[in-house]
Amino acid sequence: MVIVLNGTILVTRGELTGREHGGKIVTSRRRRVRTLLCTSLTAVLAAGSPLAFAPPSAQAATAATPADSVITWDLNAETAIWDVARQAPQVQSRSAAMVHGAIYDAVNAIAGSPYQPYLVAPPADGRESTDAAVATAAYQVLNAIFPSQHDTLRAQYDQSLAALPNGPAKQRGIDVGTQAAAAMITARQNDGAYGPQTFAVGTEPGQWRPTPPFFANDGGWVGHLTPFLLPSASTFRTSGPPALTSAQYAKDYNEIKAVGSASSTVRTADQTDAAIWWHDRRLGEWEIKRQLVTTQRLNALEAARMFAMVDLAEADAVIACFNEKEAWSRWRPVTAIQLGHTDGNPDTIADPSWTPLLVTPPHPDYTSGHTCNTGATMSALAYFFGRDNISFSAYSSDSGTRRYFTSFSQALTEVINARVWGGIHTRSADLQGAHIGLATTAYMIRHYFRPLG
């Protein structure tokens, strides 16, 4: 057993890899996975909430340390990663994981290492300044990723340190943060980032090719990144998208053709808003995680661990997703519908003038990067808090609206639908993407961030 939702086994090891029974996931099991995937994340694992795991001494030592510095440096990271660098979502995930992995190792060490370190546990006796360690770890990682932003980052760092009293605690905190950052920077050297890989361009039915209006080919290197947690980028290889001549393919095709069109008459105003909201490249997950730190009153250690768990799971889910994209190279809906007469399926009718509501991203359909990411996000949050029914919201400047959710499962269900409503991903690609996100979280839970002692 890997993940239990609502008291029911969601996925087993064989179902995660798609290698059972000659490489095929049993149909009945796949239906069960898809049904449960979209319902609830309430009962996460039999172990219960990880918040209860920290030894009492660690909880007592960190309870008085607020999470303000963790929030501040997540905001600074978002500014550097998105507002300035404009990194695409699949690139953002690597940068955020590096920042929060280092922050976690620093804070966890000062707290006495109640949890497994991610990379390193710098020597600490608990008298170090946690705020100095957080600022130093984040600043040094961000400065390594974005050397062109050095002056701005240095000003933010100096401001953080100026707010702290001078003395041994501050200096020792700087030393701990420096060691945590150095471990992360070293670990991610030569990890495959920004490599030369591109996606293969095909001409046969079903094969991906660049899409309008930009006809770009981007992100091929992401599937070749060294994962943060998983043994390899292909750990969760699926059995692939539906065959072009299958009933499932026709179902996916006709659904997105109707509801995902730029001129759809069946998509509601709220569905249009959701599609645009989830498509915002800034990603609402940034705000959601910070909001949860505040509403759930997390201390510095809890916040650092939550950010690290979510961001590293997100990063690896995206890496696995892009590895899938390369493996299956499935055409996007805009190509499929305009060339529907070539797919050999009598139940798909071509529309050469069809266009989606949203601009199609420059990489293959299967699997969906956003549902891989959000599947990991929401399942990691549900596991961390030990419950599904926590409310949160986030604002999108693209849609000009704030969307509200009453549970992690509701958000996951909505993004699965939203990518169809936007006309850019088939439902099969969305469901399997979310599946990879859940599988990545399950692997992380078994192998990382566990309580010690």
Side-chain angles (χ1 to χ4, degrees):
M1 183 183 72
V2 176
I3 291 182
V4 177
L5 305 181
N6 285 339
T8 304
I9 296 175
L10 174 59
V11 283
T12 66
R13 177 64 182 174
E15 289 169 329
L16 293 182
T17 61
R19 294 183 181 124
E20 278 191 1
H21 302 284
K24 300 293 183 180
I25 300 175
V26 179
T27 303
S28 61
R29 287 183 177 178
R30 179 174 289 183
R31 280 198 293 263
R32 189 180 71 202
V33 168
R34 289 178 176 179
T35 299
L36 293 174
L37 184 64
C38 299
T39 56
S40 180
L41 300 173
T42 304
V44 279
L45 284 182
S49 170
L51 285 175
F53 284 159
S57 59
Q59 291 286 16
T62 58
T65 306
D68 295 358
S69 61
V70 179
I71 292 175
T72 294
W73 278 94
D74 183 72
L75 279 164
N76 291 343
E78 182 184 18
T79 299
I81 292 168
W82 172 245
D83 295 340
V84 179
R86 293 285 170 173
Q87 288 190 337
Q90 67 271 15
V91 187
Q92 291 183 39
S93 61
R94 173 183 179 269
S95 300
M98 289 178 65
V99 171
H100 281 292
I103 289 174
Y104 164 75
D105 272 350
V107 176
N108 188 52
I110 293 172
S113 296
Y115 300 103
Q116 290 171 297
Y118 170 60
L119 290 175
V120 66
D125 61 12
R127 292 181 292 176
E128 299 80 7
S129 166
T130 296
D131 292 338
V134 169
T136 302
Y139 161 69
Q140 292 189 6
V141 170
L142 287 168
N143 193 53
I145 299 172
F146 304 112
S148 64
Q149 297 186 44
H150 170 78
D151 291 348
T152 299
L153 292 168
R154 183 72 205 198
Q156 292 170 338
Y157 180 53
D158 289 344
Q159 182 179 19
S160 290
L161 292 187
L164 304 176
N166 292 326
K170 180 176 179 178
Q171 185 56 55
R172 286 197 295 262
I174 291 171
D175 293 342
V176 170
T178 297
Q179 291 178 65
M184 179 61 75
I185 293 166
T186 299
R188 299 312 296 183
Q189 287 178 350
N190 303 313
D191 67 353
Y194 313 109
Q197 298 88 354
T198 57
F199 292 105
V201 176
T203 57
E204 296 298 315
Q207 293 179 342
W208 180 80
R209 70 285 315 263
T211 54
F214 304 115
F215 297 97
N217 185 333
D218 184 50
W221 57 267
V222 176
H224 293 265
L225 273 173
T226 301
F228 287 82
L229 309 170
L230 299 177
S232 75
S234 61
T235 296
F236 300 129
R237 177 71 72 239
T238 72
S239 53
L244 296 183
T245 55
S246 68
Q248 183 60 57
Y249 178 79
K251 184 177 180 180
D252 286 349
Y253 179 105
N254 289 310
E255 177 189 26
I256 200 167
K257 182 181 180 184
V259 76
S261 168
S263 58
S264 174
T265 59
V266 298
R267 186 180 57 247
T268 68
D270 186 65
Q271 289 170 344
T272 299
D273 181 79
I276 297 170
W277 189 95
W278 282 105
H279 198 56
D280 191 334
R281 305 292 82 187
R282 184 174 180 269
L283 298 180
E285 280 89 338
W286 286 100
E287 181 182 352
I288 289 168
K289 285 175 281 191
R290 289 193 296 266
Q291 187 180 110
L292 289 169
V293 171
T294 300
T295 62
Q296 302 307 303
R297 300 180 180 180
L298 302 187
N299 61 40
L301 174 61
E302 292 165 346
R305 183 166 176 262
M306 183 270 279
F307 272 113
M309 291 176 73
V310 175
D311 286 1
L312 270 70
E314 286 177 355
D316 273 15
V318 170
I319 291 169
C321 166
F322 273 69
N323 194 272
E324 282 284 289
K325 288 178 181 290
E326 181 179 70
W328 302 109
S329 195
R330 176 55 66 96
W331 58 11
R332 284 280 186 162
V334 63
T335 309
I337 294 170
Q338 291 183 4
L339 299 179
H341 60 287
T342 69
D343 62 24
N345 193 317
D347 296 321
T348 61
I349 306 302
D351 180 352
S353 64
W354 189 91
T355 56
L357 171 67
L358 304 173
V359 173
T360 301
H363 33 74
D365 175 54
Y366 187 95
T367 52
S368 164
H370 210 322
T371 64
C372 284
N373 182 297
T374 306
T377 300
M378 298 305 160
S379 57
L381 288 170
Y383 174 75
F384 182 85
F385 290 108
R387 52 191 280 231
D388 179 32
N389 59 334
I390 294 178
S391 296
F392 53 90
S393 67
Y395 176 80
S396 163
S397 58
D398 283 6
S399 66
T401 59
R402 176 172 291 273
R403 294 193 71 82
Y404 296 84
F405 305 92
T406 58
S407 66
F408 302 119
S409 57
Q410 182 190 13
L412 179 54
T413 299
E414 184 170 274
V415 72
I416 290 169
N417 289 322
R419 306 312 269 170
V420 178
W421 297 333
I424 57 175
H425 274 301
T426 59
R427 186 164 296 275
S428 290
D430 289 337
L431 288 168
Q432 286 292 357
H435 187 183
I436 286 173
L438 289 170
T440 303
T441 293
Y443 185 91
M444 176 189 68
I445 288 167
R446 294 202 314 271
H447 298 283
Y448 291 89
F449 304 108
R450 302 292 296 175
L452 300 176

